[in-house]
Amino acid sequence: MPSTPWTKPDTSTRPIAIIGGGVMGRRISMMWISSGFPVMLCERVSESDNAVGYVQEHEAEQAAKQGKVPAELKATTSLQEAVNNAWMVIEAIPEKLQMKIDILAQIDKLAPPDCVIASNSSSLRSSQMIVNTEKNYRICNGHYYMPPDQNYYEVMSCGHTDPEIFPFLMEKAAQAGFTPVHAKTDSTGLIFNRIWAAIKREVLLVMAEGVTDAHTIDEMFRSWFKAEKGPCQMMDTVGLDTVYNIELVYTQQRNLDTTARDWLKENYVDKGNLGAKAGKGLLG
C-alpha cells in the first residue's frame, strides 16, 4: 500500500469521541474511561442521561480492576463538538448501512486528519461505508463485543486503511483492557461474529419451528459449553432489534434463508419485545 498522510495522534490530551450511547456505545465509553482515556459521548438528549448513568454506575468498579483512575466523560448532542479534537472516533449507531454511510461522511469532514475513524459494526464492512468519504486512510472497522463481560476487539481495514493504524489501535485497546485481534481480509461479519451469527440463526430457527423454547435452549447450551449465559439471554441483552438488523445484513449479503430472521421480526421486533431494554424478549 502506498504511503498515506496519517501520523500517530496525541492520545495524552485529546479525547475519544463515541457516536451513539446505546447498549454498545455506553459500554465502550465505560471501558475507555475506566482506563484513563477521556471520552466525548455524542447522543440524542433522550438517550444521553441513560448512557451517562450507566458509565457513572460502573466506571469505578472497572477502573479498580485495572488499578487506574477513571477519566472524564462529557456528553454532547453536537457531532462537531464531539469530534473536533478527538484522536479516535468510534461509530456505534444502529446496524443500518445508509446511516453509517451518512455519519462517516460527516465525521470525515469534521475530525482532524490524524484522527482514526472506527466503525463498531459487527456485520457491515467499513469498505461499504466509505461512499462519501475522502480520508479513507484513517477509516476501519473496530468492533467490540459486550464489555466488560466480553472484551475481544477486532480491527479490519476498509481497503485503504494505513497499515500502521492496526498496531497503534491494538496497543491502545490492550491498555484499555481489551483483547485485540486483526481480521486480515475484508469480511461480512468479523472473526467470531460469523460463527456466532450461525449459532443465533439456528437457535431462532429451532424456536420458529416449535422444536423447543428459549429456556430449554439456554439451559442445554450452558451445560454443554460450560457457559455463563445461553444464546437467548445474550440476544436479549444485545437487543432483538439489533439482532434482527445484523441478520438482515447476513441474509442479504450471503443469500441465506430468511425464515429465522422473518420469524424474529414478526414475533418480537414488530411487537416491541426487544429483550432486556424492553422488559420482554426471547426469555419472556
Side-chain angles (χ1 to χ4, degrees), residues 1 125-126 140-141 153-161 163 166-167 170 180-192 194:
M1 176 178 286
R125 308 185 305 274
S126 53
C140 63
N141 282 81
Y153 171 66
E154 295 175 326
V155 292
M156 182 174 75
S157 175
C158 74
H160 304 275
T161 317
F166 299 114
M170 294 170 78
V181 291
H182 188 184
K184 297 180 180 180
T185 189
D186 203 31
S187 172
T188 297
L190 282 81
I191 300 167
F192 184 76
R194 290 181 59 168

Side-chain angles (χ1 to χ4, degrees), residues 2-164:
S3 61
T4 78
W6 184 76
T7 56
K8 289 184 181 180
D10 176 12
T11 64
S12 64
T13 60
R14 293 162 61 181
I16 297 168
I18 298 179
I19 314 304
V23 172
M24 288 302 301
R26 64 190 62 180
R27 287 170 176 264
I28 297 167
S29 298
M30 185 274 295
M31 288 294 292
W32 283 104
I33 283 170
S34 300
S35 302
F37 291 89
V39 167
M40 287 283 292
L41 178 62
C42 184
E43 181 56 284
R44 294 168 298 188
V45 174
S46 59
E47 297 291 337
S48 62
D49 288 347
N50 291 334
V52 171
Y54 174 86
V55 174
Q56 292 174 338
E57 180 182 353
H58 296 280
E59 62 182 356
E61 178 184 358
Q62 183 63 31
K65 293 178 183 178
Q66 302 186 63
K68 297 182 180 179
V69 177
E72 183 180 16
L73 171 68
K74 293 183 179 179
T76 180
T77 58
S78 167
L79 182 64
Q80 181 169 359
E81 181 183 7
V83 309
N84 66 2
N85 190 40
W87 67 265
M88 175 169 64
V89 177
I90 301 169
E91 171 273 302
I93 66 172
E95 198 79 351
K96 296 182 179 180
L97 180 57
Q98 191 57 53
M99 290 179 65
K100 292 181 184 290
I101 289 172
D102 293 343
I103 198 71
L104 256 65
Q106 295 177 59
I107 295 168
D108 188 47
K109 292 178 181 177
L110 296 171
D114 62 349
C115 174
V116 178
I117 302 173
S119 172
N120 181 51
S121 178
S122 61
S123 60
L124 294 163
R125 308 185 305 274
S126 53
S127 60
Q128 298 173 277
M129 305 174 195
I130 55 174
V131 176
N132 298 315
T133 53
E134 295 179 359
K135 305 177 189 73
N136 296 333
Y137 60 82
R138 42 79 169 270
I139 297 175
C140 63
N141 282 81
H143 172 60
Y144 303 79
Y145 283 84
M146 191 57 69
D149 302 322
Q150 182 51 264
N151 289 329
Y152 277 95
Y153 171 66
E154 295 175 326
V155 292
M156 182 174 75
S157 175
C158 74
H160 304 275
T161 317
D162 189 310
E164 294 301 315

Side-chain angles (χ1 to χ4, degrees), residues 263-276:
W263 176 84
L264 180 65
K265 182 177 187 296
E266 179 180 351
N267 291 277
Y268 292 90
V269 177
D270 287 350
K271 295 178 180 179
N273 299 330
L274 306 179

